[in-house]
Amino acid sequence: MPYFAYKARNARGEMLQGVLESPDSGTVADQLFNTGVTPIEIVAIKKPLTDGGGWWARLTEDKVRTIDVQLFSRQMYTLLKAGVPIMRGLAGLQESAISKSFARVLKDIRESLDSGRELSAAMRRHPAVFSSFYLNMVRVGETTGRLEEVFLRLFDHLEFEREMRERIRTALRYPMFVIIAMTIAIAIINIFVIPAFAKVYAGFKAELPLMTRILIKSSNFFVHYWPYILVMIIGAAFAFKMYTGTANGRYRWDKAKLRLPIIGDIILKGTMARFARSFALSSKSGVPIVQGLSVVAQTVDNSYIASRIEQMRDGVERGETILRTAVTTGVFTPVVLQMIAVGEETGELDSLMDEIGGMYEREVDYEIKTLSSKIEPILITGLGVLVLILALGVFLPIWDLGKVAISK
């Protein structure tokens, strides 16, 4: 269908402009009138008007960040609570947006609202910006008339997500630095240090210790075949990414992540905290339990846990209690199951799920704070073994030659 650029005025006399896809200009005018907007000019164009200065500007511009969506949620809550019309509020947010990319998203949302779409439908046009959970919660807010409250809860939800990521990133910063430094050191030793010693030992014309021979052979292999090693590493990473991109591969990897030493428990508790908070949010917003479990399953970012939540949903649909379905998943602790039982009995499941989320958050916070202390012994042990191997391989021949010289 052709595109039409329009200029129009709303009931307050504000000038609006945008682009609509429609069979003809008359249909565009009808759409504008139906939304309470009076068209002034409607012109047919070949393609939608775009901002951004061409493909290069779009390629190099900053992507929409999670913090942009988080601040947008808080601002929308404030505007709607103050009674500001949504179109006027979006116009103000678009003009004041620091991110040009997000400003373009807000512009498209306004144009979609102008064409008669609901807010959730307009946001659904940008799946890379708004998650499925976010869109479903906005839809619930539209249906129940509690949109401003939903935006506030979405802000709190995104703030929790952001804090979790920052804590994990901070805890892993030192271990990652040590691992990278060790990798660089091993590469330098194999390329420069061991070959130099190998030349010296070759002049002795004596049998070298086993550890030294292993180091020399591994260094020669690394020096001569490093391009193939690099290609294999890149190929393995690409194959792993392709495999985890499939439904079965992601399911298996997400399940395996929960069994990893040290970090597996953190991932599980963080995922369960996200589930509890999301379920409490959807329940407080008036979402039915079955629909809420379907929505929450899309927020946990772990296909294995998501399948267990969908298993709970199927059980509830069959008439089983949430407690019974939660027990069969095998991922909840006894304390959590007890709180779910009390919540079902008293009708306070949403508040108790909030408590569960808070409990898991505190456990994750403690685990993250002690993460470095758990990883440091492993790193120190690995570094010590590496130094021991290098020391034995490099200095054992010198020690043996020294004993031979003394005995003579």
PDB file of all heavy atoms in Angstrom, residues 206-231:
ATOM      1  N   ALA A 206      72.261 -33.195  25.261  1.00  0.00           N
ATOM      2  CA  ALA A 206      71.982 -34.116  26.362  1.00  0.00           C
ATOM      3  C   ALA A 206      70.483 -34.388  26.407  1.00  0.00           C
ATOM      4  O   ALA A 206      69.680 -33.610  25.897  1.00  0.00           O
ATOM      5  CB  ALA A 206      72.457 -33.526  27.686  1.00  0.00           C
ATOM      6  N   GLU A 207      70.131 -35.521  26.996  1.00  0.00           N
ATOM      7  CA  GLU A 207      68.721 -35.842  27.110  1.00  0.00           C
ATOM      8  C   GLU A 207      68.050 -34.925  28.133  1.00  0.00           C
ATOM      9  O   GLU A 207      68.530 -34.788  29.259  1.00  0.00           O
ATOM     10  CB  GLU A 207      68.545 -37.302  27.540  1.00  0.00           C
ATOM     11  CG  GLU A 207      67.089 -37.736  27.582  1.00  0.00           C
ATOM     12  CD  GLU A 207      66.934 -39.188  27.979  1.00  0.00           C
ATOM     13  OE1 GLU A 207      67.973 -39.844  28.209  1.00  0.00           O
ATOM     14  OE2 GLU A 207      65.777 -39.635  28.066  1.00  0.00           O
ATOM     15  N   LEU A 208      66.959 -34.310  27.711  1.00  0.00           N
ATOM     16  CA  LEU A 208      66.263 -33.346  28.557  1.00  0.00           C
ATOM     17  C   LEU A 208      65.212 -34.046  29.408  1.00  0.00           C
ATOM     18  O   LEU A 208      64.690 -35.100  29.037  1.00  0.00           O
ATOM     19  CB  LEU A 208      65.593 -32.274  27.695  1.00  0.00           C
ATOM     20  CG  LEU A 208      66.531 -31.429  26.826  1.00  0.00           C
ATOM     21  CD1 LEU A 208      65.730 -30.491  25.924  1.00  0.00           C
ATOM     22  CD2 LEU A 208      67.501 -30.629  27.702  1.00  0.00           C
ATOM     23  N   PRO A 209      64.862 -33.451  30.556  1.00  0.00           N
ATOM     24  CA  PRO A 209      63.796 -34.027  31.392  1.00  0.00           C
ATOM     25  C   PRO A 209      62.459 -34.063  30.646  1.00  0.00           C
ATOM     26  O   PRO A 209      62.233 -33.322  29.692  1.00  0.00           O
ATOM     27  CB  PRO A 209      63.736 -33.084  32.595  1.00  0.00           C
ATOM     28  CG  PRO A 209      65.070 -32.403  32.618  1.00  0.00           C
ATOM     29  CD  PRO A 209      65.512 -32.297  31.196  1.00  0.00           C
ATOM     30  N   LEU A 210      61.578 -34.942  31.111  1.00  0.00           N
ATOM     31  CA  LEU A 210      60.283 -35.122  30.464  1.00  0.00           C
ATOM     32  C   LEU A 210      59.485 -33.818  30.442  1.00  0.00           C
ATOM     33  O   LEU A 210      58.887 -33.471  29.408  1.00  0.00           O
ATOM     34  CB  LEU A 210      59.488 -36.212  31.195  1.00  0.00           C
ATOM     35  CG  LEU A 210      58.050 -36.442  30.687  1.00  0.00           C
ATOM     36  CD1 LEU A 210      58.068 -36.897  29.238  1.00  0.00           C
ATOM     37  CD2 LEU A 210      57.334 -37.445  31.573  1.00  0.00           C
ATOM     38  N   MET A 211      59.465 -33.089  31.558  1.00  0.00           N
ATOM     39  CA  MET A 211      58.685 -31.856  31.616  1.00  0.00           C
ATOM     40  C   MET A 211      59.199 -30.841  30.607  1.00  0.00           C
ATOM     41  O   MET A 211      58.413 -30.139  29.956  1.00  0.00           O
ATOM     42  CB  MET A 211      58.753 -31.263  33.034  1.00  0.00           C
ATOM     43  CG  MET A 211      57.835 -30.071  33.236  1.00  0.00           C
ATOM     44  SD  MET A 211      56.093 -30.519  33.066  1.00  0.00           S
ATOM     45  CE  MET A 211      55.895 -31.546  34.514  1.00  0.00           C
ATOM     46  N   THR A 212      60.514 -30.784  30.428  1.00  0.00           N
ATOM     47  CA  THR A 212      61.096 -29.846  29.468  1.00  0.00           C
ATOM     48  C   THR A 212      60.728 -30.231  28.042  1.00  0.00           C
ATOM     49  O   THR A 212      60.397 -29.375  27.208  1.00  0.00           O
ATOM     50  CB  THR A 212      62.624 -29.803  29.635  1.00  0.00           C
ATOM     51  OG1 THR A 212      62.942 -29.502  30.997  1.00  0.00           O
ATOM     52  CG2 THR A 212      63.227 -28.743  28.731  1.00  0.00           C
ATOM     53  N   ARG A 213      60.782 -31.518  27.751  1.00  0.00           N
ATOM     54  CA  ARG A 213      60.423 -31.971  26.401  1.00  0.00           C
ATOM     55  C   ARG A 213      58.949 -31.666  26.079  1.00  0.00           C
ATOM     56  O   ARG A 213      58.623 -31.277  24.958  1.00  0.00           O
ATOM     57  CB  ARG A 213      60.703 -33.473  26.267  1.00  0.00           C
ATOM     58  CG  ARG A 213      62.175 -33.848  26.391  1.00  0.00           C
ATOM     59  CD  ARG A 213      62.445 -35.225  25.789  1.00  0.00           C
ATOM     60  NE  ARG A 213      61.645 -36.262  26.411  1.00  0.00           N
ATOM     61  CZ  ARG A 213      62.008 -36.960  27.488  1.00  0.00           C
ATOM     62  NH1 ARG A 213      63.181 -36.713  28.077  1.00  0.00           N
ATOM     63  NH2 ARG A 213      61.224 -37.900  27.992  1.00  0.00           N
ATOM     64  N   ILE A 214      58.103 -31.841  27.089  1.00  0.00           N
ATOM     65  CA  ILE A 214      56.675 -31.535  26.877  1.00  0.00           C
ATOM     66  C   ILE A 214      56.485 -30.049  26.583  1.00  0.00           C
ATOM     67  O   ILE A 214      55.735 -29.660  25.677  1.00  0.00           O
ATOM     68  CB  ILE A 214      55.860 -31.964  28.111  1.00  0.00           C
ATOM     69  CG1 ILE A 214      55.858 -33.485  28.248  1.00  0.00           C
ATOM     70  CG2 ILE A 214      54.425 -31.451  28.012  1.00  0.00           C
ATOM     71  CD1 ILE A 214      55.175 -33.978  29.513  1.00  0.00           C
ATOM     72  N   LEU A 215      57.179 -29.195  27.344  1.00  0.00           N
ATOM     73  CA  LEU A 215      57.051 -27.755  27.124  1.00  0.00           C
ATOM     74  C   LEU A 215      57.560 -27.352  25.750  1.00  0.00           C
ATOM     75  O   LEU A 215      56.943 -26.524  25.055  1.00  0.00           O
ATOM     76  CB  LEU A 215      57.813 -26.987  28.216  1.00  0.00           C
ATOM     77  CG  LEU A 215      57.167 -26.929  29.602  1.00  0.00           C
ATOM     78  CD1 LEU A 215      58.073 -26.178  30.563  1.00  0.00           C
ATOM     79  CD2 LEU A 215      55.808 -26.244  29.527  1.00  0.00           C
ATOM     80  N   ILE A 216      58.685 -27.916  25.332  1.00  0.00           N
ATOM     81  CA  ILE A 216      59.256 -27.562  24.031  1.00  0.00           C
ATOM     82  C   ILE A 216      58.334 -28.018  22.895  1.00  0.00           C
ATOM     83  O   ILE A 216      58.086 -27.276  21.934  1.00  0.00           O
ATOM     84  CB  ILE A 216      60.657 -28.174  23.880  1.00  0.00           C
ATOM     85  CG1 ILE A 216      61.625 -27.496  24.868  1.00  0.00           C
ATOM     86  CG2 ILE A 216      61.163 -28.020  22.449  1.00  0.00           C
ATOM     87  CD1 ILE A 216      63.017 -28.091  24.870  1.00  0.00           C
ATOM     88  N   LYS A 217      57.818 -29.234  23.011  1.00  0.00           N
ATOM     89  CA  LYS A 217      56.923 -29.729  21.958  1.00  0.00           C
ATOM     90  C   LYS A 217      55.623 -28.916  21.904  1.00  0.00           C
ATOM     91  O   LYS A 217      55.120 -28.600  20.817  1.00  0.00           O
ATOM     92  CB  LYS A 217      56.611 -31.211  22.194  1.00  0.00           C
ATOM     93  CG  LYS A 217      57.779 -32.131  21.907  1.00  0.00           C
ATOM     94  CD  LYS A 217      57.380 -33.593  22.047  1.00  0.00           C
ATOM     95  CE  LYS A 217      58.550 -34.515  21.749  1.00  0.00           C
ATOM     96  NZ  LYS A 217      58.999 -34.396  20.342  1.00  0.00           N
ATOM     97  N   SER A 218      55.075 -28.573  23.058  1.00  0.00           N
ATOM     98  CA  SER A 218      53.850 -27.769  23.058  1.00  0.00           C
ATOM     99  C   SER A 218      54.118 -26.373  22.515  1.00  0.00           C
ATOM    100  O   SER A 218      53.284 -25.805  21.800  1.00  0.00           O
ATOM    101  CB  SER A 218      53.287 -27.675  24.480  1.00  0.00           C
ATOM    102  OG  SER A 218      54.204 -27.013  25.342  1.00  0.00           O
ATOM    103  N   SER A 219      55.296 -25.808  22.821  1.00  0.00           N
ATOM    104  CA  SER A 219      55.648 -24.492  22.285  1.00  0.00           C
ATOM    105  C   SER A 219      55.806 -24.551  20.774  1.00  0.00           C
ATOM    106  O   SER A 219      55.327 -23.663  20.053  1.00  0.00           O
ATOM    107  CB  SER A 219      56.939 -23.997  22.938  1.00  0.00           C
ATOM    108  OG  SER A 219      57.352 -22.790  22.346  1.00  0.00           O
ATOM    109  N   ASN A 220      56.492 -25.594  20.270  1.00  0.00           N
ATOM    110  CA  ASN A 220      56.653 -25.735  18.815  1.00  0.00           C
ATOM    111  C   ASN A 220      55.297 -25.887  18.119  1.00  0.00           C
ATOM    112  O   ASN A 220      55.068 -25.299  17.057  1.00  0.00           O
ATOM    113  CB  ASN A 220      57.531 -26.943  18.503  1.00  0.00           C
ATOM    114  CG  ASN A 220      58.982 -26.733  18.911  1.00  0.00           C
ATOM    115  OD1 ASN A 220      59.438 -25.583  19.008  1.00  0.00           O
ATOM    116  ND2 ASN A 220      59.702 -27.797  19.171  1.00  0.00           N
ATOM    117  N   PHE A 221      54.442 -26.675  18.732  1.00  0.00           N
ATOM    118  CA  PHE A 221      53.103 -26.846  18.151  1.00  0.00           C
ATOM    119  C   PHE A 221      52.360 -25.524  18.114  1.00  0.00           C
ATOM    120  O   PHE A 221      51.711 -25.184  17.111  1.00  0.00           O
ATOM    121  CB  PHE A 221      52.326 -27.877  18.973  1.00  0.00           C
ATOM    122  CG  PHE A 221      50.930 -28.106  18.483  1.00  0.00           C
ATOM    123  CD1 PHE A 221      50.673 -28.958  17.419  1.00  0.00           C
ATOM    124  CD2 PHE A 221      49.851 -27.460  19.082  1.00  0.00           C
ATOM    125  CE1 PHE A 221      49.383 -29.170  16.958  1.00  0.00           C
ATOM    126  CE2 PHE A 221      48.557 -27.660  18.630  1.00  0.00           C
ATOM    127  CZ  PHE A 221      48.325 -28.520  17.562  1.00  0.00           C
ATOM    128  N   PHE A 222      52.455 -24.753  19.209  1.00  0.00           N
ATOM    129  CA  PHE A 222      51.756 -23.467  19.276  1.00  0.00           C
ATOM    130  C   PHE A 222      52.324 -22.481  18.258  1.00  0.00           C
ATOM    131  O   PHE A 222      51.573 -21.763  17.587  1.00  0.00           O
ATOM    132  CB  PHE A 222      51.874 -22.886  20.698  1.00  0.00           C
ATOM    133  CG  PHE A 222      51.072 -21.640  20.910  1.00  0.00           C
ATOM    134  CD1 PHE A 222      49.721 -21.716  21.225  1.00  0.00           C
ATOM    135  CD2 PHE A 222      51.670 -20.396  20.799  1.00  0.00           C
ATOM    136  CE1 PHE A 222      48.981 -20.557  21.423  1.00  0.00           C
ATOM    137  CE2 PHE A 222      50.935 -19.232  20.995  1.00  0.00           C
ATOM    138  CZ  PHE A 222      49.587 -19.320  21.316  1.00  0.00           C
ATOM    139  N   VAL A 223      53.654 -22.431  18.118  1.00  0.00           N
ATOM    140  CA  VAL A 223      54.289 -21.474  17.208  1.00  0.00           C
ATOM    141  C   VAL A 223      53.971 -21.792  15.752  1.00  0.00           C
ATOM    142  O   VAL A 223      53.696 -20.897  14.947  1.00  0.00           O
ATOM    143  CB  VAL A 223      55.817 -21.452  17.449  1.00  0.00           C
ATOM    144  CG1 VAL A 223      56.524 -20.660  16.353  1.00  0.00           C
ATOM    145  CG2 VAL A 223      56.121 -20.852  18.817  1.00  0.00           C
ATOM    146  N   HIS A 224      54.010 -23.080  15.402  1.00  0.00           N
ATOM    147  CA  HIS A 224      53.827 -23.469  14.003  1.00  0.00           C
ATOM    148  C   HIS A 224      52.353 -23.564  13.587  1.00  0.00           C
ATOM    149  O   HIS A 224      52.028 -23.383  12.408  1.00  0.00           O
ATOM    150  CB  HIS A 224      54.528 -24.821  13.730  1.00  0.00           C
ATOM    151  CG  HIS A 224      56.029 -24.736  13.773  1.00  0.00           C
ATOM    152  ND1 HIS A 224      56.736 -24.987  14.923  1.00  0.00           N
ATOM    153  CD2 HIS A 224      56.950 -24.409  12.823  1.00  0.00           C
ATOM    154  CE1 HIS A 224      58.041 -24.839  14.691  1.00  0.00           C
ATOM    155  NE2 HIS A 224      58.191 -24.493  13.412  1.00  0.00           N
ATOM    156  N   TYR A 225      51.497 -23.845  14.545  1.00  0.00           N
ATOM    157  CA  TYR A 225      50.102 -24.092  14.180  1.00  0.00           C
ATOM    158  C   TYR A 225      49.129 -23.103  14.812  1.00  0.00           C
ATOM    159  O   TYR A 225      47.926 -23.365  14.848  1.00  0.00           O
ATOM    160  CB  TYR A 225      49.705 -25.514  14.592  1.00  0.00           C
ATOM    161  CG  TYR A 225      50.474 -26.585  13.881  1.00  0.00           C
ATOM    162  CD1 TYR A 225      51.546 -27.220  14.509  1.00  0.00           C
ATOM    163  CD2 TYR A 225      50.159 -26.962  12.581  1.00  0.00           C
ATOM    164  CE1 TYR A 225      52.272 -28.213  13.857  1.00  0.00           C
ATOM    165  CE2 TYR A 225      50.874 -27.953  11.924  1.00  0.00           C
ATOM    166  CZ  TYR A 225      51.931 -28.563  12.563  1.00  0.00           C
ATOM    167  OH  TYR A 225      52.643 -29.535  11.909  1.00  0.00           O
ATOM    168  N   TRP A 226      49.639 -21.949  15.302  1.00  0.00           N
ATOM    169  CA  TRP A 226      48.727 -21.016  15.956  1.00  0.00           C
ATOM    170  C   TRP A 226      47.609 -20.503  15.040  1.00  0.00           C
ATOM    171  O   TRP A 226      46.492 -20.260  15.524  1.00  0.00           O
ATOM    172  CB  TRP A 226      49.505 -19.844  16.576  1.00  0.00           C
ATOM    173  CG  TRP A 226      50.115 -18.890  15.566  1.00  0.00           C
ATOM    174  CD1 TRP A 226      51.369 -18.909  15.075  1.00  0.00           C
ATOM    175  CD2 TRP A 226      49.441 -17.776  14.967  1.00  0.00           C
ATOM    176  NE1 TRP A 226      51.554 -17.893  14.185  1.00  0.00           N
ATOM    177  CE2 TRP A 226      50.381 -17.170  14.097  1.00  0.00           C
ATOM    178  CE3 TRP A 226      48.173 -17.215  15.066  1.00  0.00           C
ATOM    179  CZ2 TRP A 226      50.075 -16.048  13.335  1.00  0.00           C
ATOM    180  CZ3 TRP A 226      47.854 -16.099  14.309  1.00  0.00           C
ATOM    181  CH2 TRP A 226      48.799 -15.519  13.459  1.00  0.00           C
ATOM    182  N   PRO A 227      47.852 -20.322  13.714  1.00  0.00           N
ATOM    183  CA  PRO A 227      46.706 -19.887  12.878  1.00  0.00           C
ATOM    184  C   PRO A 227      45.577 -20.918  12.879  1.00  0.00           C
ATOM    185  O   PRO A 227      44.390 -20.562  12.929  1.00  0.00           O
ATOM    186  CB  PRO A 227      47.319 -19.729  11.485  1.00  0.00           C
ATOM    187  CG  PRO A 227      48.784 -19.542  11.718  1.00  0.00           C
ATOM    188  CD  PRO A 227      49.081 -20.390  12.897  1.00  0.00           C
ATOM    189  N   TYR A 228      45.948 -22.215  12.847  1.00  0.00           N
ATOM    190  CA  TYR A 228      44.925 -23.258  12.865  1.00  0.00           C
ATOM    191  C   TYR A 228      44.219 -23.311  14.218  1.00  0.00           C
ATOM    192  O   TYR A 228      43.003 -23.549  14.278  1.00  0.00           O
ATOM    193  CB  TYR A 228      45.558 -24.609  12.549  1.00  0.00           C
ATOM    194  CG  TYR A 228      46.287 -24.640  11.229  1.00  0.00           C
ATOM    195  CD1 TYR A 228      47.673 -24.514  11.168  1.00  0.00           C
ATOM    196  CD2 TYR A 228      45.586 -24.781  10.026  1.00  0.00           C
ATOM    197  CE1 TYR A 228      48.344 -24.542   9.949  1.00  0.00           C
ATOM    198  CE2 TYR A 228      46.251 -24.807   8.806  1.00  0.00           C
ATOM    199  CZ  TYR A 228      47.628 -24.685   8.777  1.00  0.00           C
ATOM    200  OH  TYR A 228      48.280 -24.698   7.575  1.00  0.00           O
ATOM    201  N   ILE A 229      44.987 -23.091  15.288  1.00  0.00           N
ATOM    202  CA  ILE A 229      44.381 -23.068  16.618  1.00  0.00           C
ATOM    203  C   ILE A 229      43.379 -21.927  16.717  1.00  0.00           C
ATOM    204  O   ILE A 229      42.264 -22.089  17.246  1.00  0.00           O
ATOM    205  CB  ILE A 229      45.473 -22.932  17.704  1.00  0.00           C
ATOM    206  CG1 ILE A 229      46.407 -24.155  17.676  1.00  0.00           C
ATOM    207  CG2 ILE A 229      44.846 -22.767  19.080  1.00  0.00           C
ATOM    208  CD1 ILE A 229      47.589 -24.033  18.618  1.00  0.00           C
ATOM    209  N   LEU A 230      43.768 -20.751  16.191  1.00  0.00           N
ATOM    210  CA  LEU A 230      42.874 -19.588  16.225  1.00  0.00           C
ATOM    211  C   LEU A 230      41.604 -19.858  15.423  1.00  0.00           C
ATOM    212  O   LEU A 230      40.493 -19.535  15.874  1.00  0.00           O
ATOM    213  CB  LEU A 230      43.608 -18.362  15.674  1.00  0.00           C
ATOM    214  CG  LEU A 230      42.828 -17.049  15.694  1.00  0.00           C
ATOM    215  CD1 LEU A 230      42.466 -16.668  17.127  1.00  0.00           C
ATOM    216  CD2 LEU A 230      43.649 -15.930  15.055  1.00  0.00           C
ATOM    217  N   VAL A 231      41.774 -20.461  14.256  1.00  0.00           N
ATOM    218  CA  VAL A 231      40.601 -20.783  13.427  1.00  0.00           C
ATOM    219  C   VAL A 231      39.698 -21.789  14.134  1.00  0.00           C
ATOM    220  O   VAL A 231      38.461 -21.674  14.103  1.00  0.00           O
ATOM    221  CB  VAL A 231      41.049 -21.329  12.057  1.00  0.00           C
ATOM    222  CG1 VAL A 231      39.859 -21.892  11.284  1.00  0.00           C
ATOM    223  CG2 VAL A 231      41.734 -20.235  11.242  1.00  0.00           C
TER     224      VAL A 231
END
